[in-house]
Amino acid sequence: MICQPFFYGHMADSTVSRNVRRIPSGLRWLLVATAGLVAVAGVSWAAGSWIAQPQRHSVGPVPGGWNAQSVEIGSQEGLVRGWYADGKPGRGAVLLLHGVRADRRAMVPRARALHERGYAVLLIDLYAHGESDGDMIGVGPKEAAGIRSALDWMRDRLPSERLGVIGASLGGAGLLLAHQGRPPDAVVLEAVFTSIETAVDNRVRERVGPLAAAVSPLLLGQMPMRLGVAPDQVRPVDHMAQLAAPVLVAGGVEDRYTTQAETEHMFAVAAEPKQLWVVPGAGHVDLYRFAPQAYEAQVFGFLSRYLQKQ
């Protein structure tokens, strides 16, 4: 009686093994491959969920030491929240757009430096970031709605000022996808990807190497379901020639997420007047923190040329 369960289990296992061996080898391989594909698809869906996860959180009070105020701006995709500080008449105004998984606080050092030079500044949280509304990261199109509203808000408040924009990574992509009827008077694009296909592939390749050729399409294929847009609709490079504003394109030599080749491609298709700044030693980082003196010479010099009235 004690041994019966053992022998019963052993006999059952043997029966299963014999049944498995009876399955044709081709079918066995098909079943194994199908199970593998299901597992990979499940992992890629989980990875896509993590990538699209909203980055909403409190950003705290306005940093002390400068005369800024909290603002709320309505947009097609919900409320956009940010900080605004008035500048000196005739000195221009600048909208500051952070990168993915950051918030307006990433742009505070730039905002302070610009404000000290007399510019009015507006820092916003992108869609689904910081304190702005949104249910998932939108890779550009959803962020564009809030950016359009922020530009309109600044124009309404400062109708006589020239308006510039600094957009880093996702912020710059959102600006290019915003389809503004009236372009800004000057634009700075920092480490802005040419297309979402390239952006995803570069990031996946950093983690899984050659397997990116299989993994990247699985992630990109989720976009229509999650965001309602296809990957070929998120190509900031296609909008560069129509920007119709003086533009400075910047990127790091060591950037593996937005490569130097991409930065140079964005510059090549932009209309004149344009300026290129490739930063030695910089990866996909905050270029102002990485090289503050060079940044002020390149970027602030560019903005002064096009925004400040003589």
Side-chain angles (χ1 to χ4, degrees), residues 91-115:
R91 302 294 287 178
V94 181
L95 172 63
L96 296 141
L97 306 170
H98 62 78
V100 69
R101 292 188 175 81
D103 57 56
R104 73 189 93 153
R105 293 174 294 184
M107 291 306 212
V108 167
R110 289 173 179 78
R112 285 186 184 277
L114 288 165
H115 193 244

Side-chain angles (χ1 to χ4, degrees), residues 35-51:
L37 288 174
V38 170
V40 170
V43 170
S44 69
W45 184 261
S49 298
W50 179 83
I51 292 169

Side-chain angles (χ1 to χ4, degrees), residues 120-193:
V121 291
L122 173 62
L123 308 75
I124 64 168
D125 294 330
L126 296 178
Y127 176 85
H129 289 74
E131 295 177 343
S132 289
D133 291 345
D135 56 2
M136 69 179 65
I137 294 174
V139 301
K142 286 186 176 292
E143 289 78 6
I147 293 170
R148 282 194 300 269
S149 296
L151 287 167
D152 291 341
W153 186 92
M154 292 193 80
R155 289 194 178 105
D156 290 342
R157 187 178 183 102
L158 303 166
S160 62
E161 295 292 340
R162 295 173 182 166
L163 176 58
V165 184
I166 297 177
S169 191
L170 179 60
L175 174 68
L176 289 173
L177 296 171
H179 304 294
Q180 244 339 90
R182 177 185 171 189
D185 297 289
V187 171
V188 177
L189 300 173
E190 301 178 19
V192 175
F193 55 87

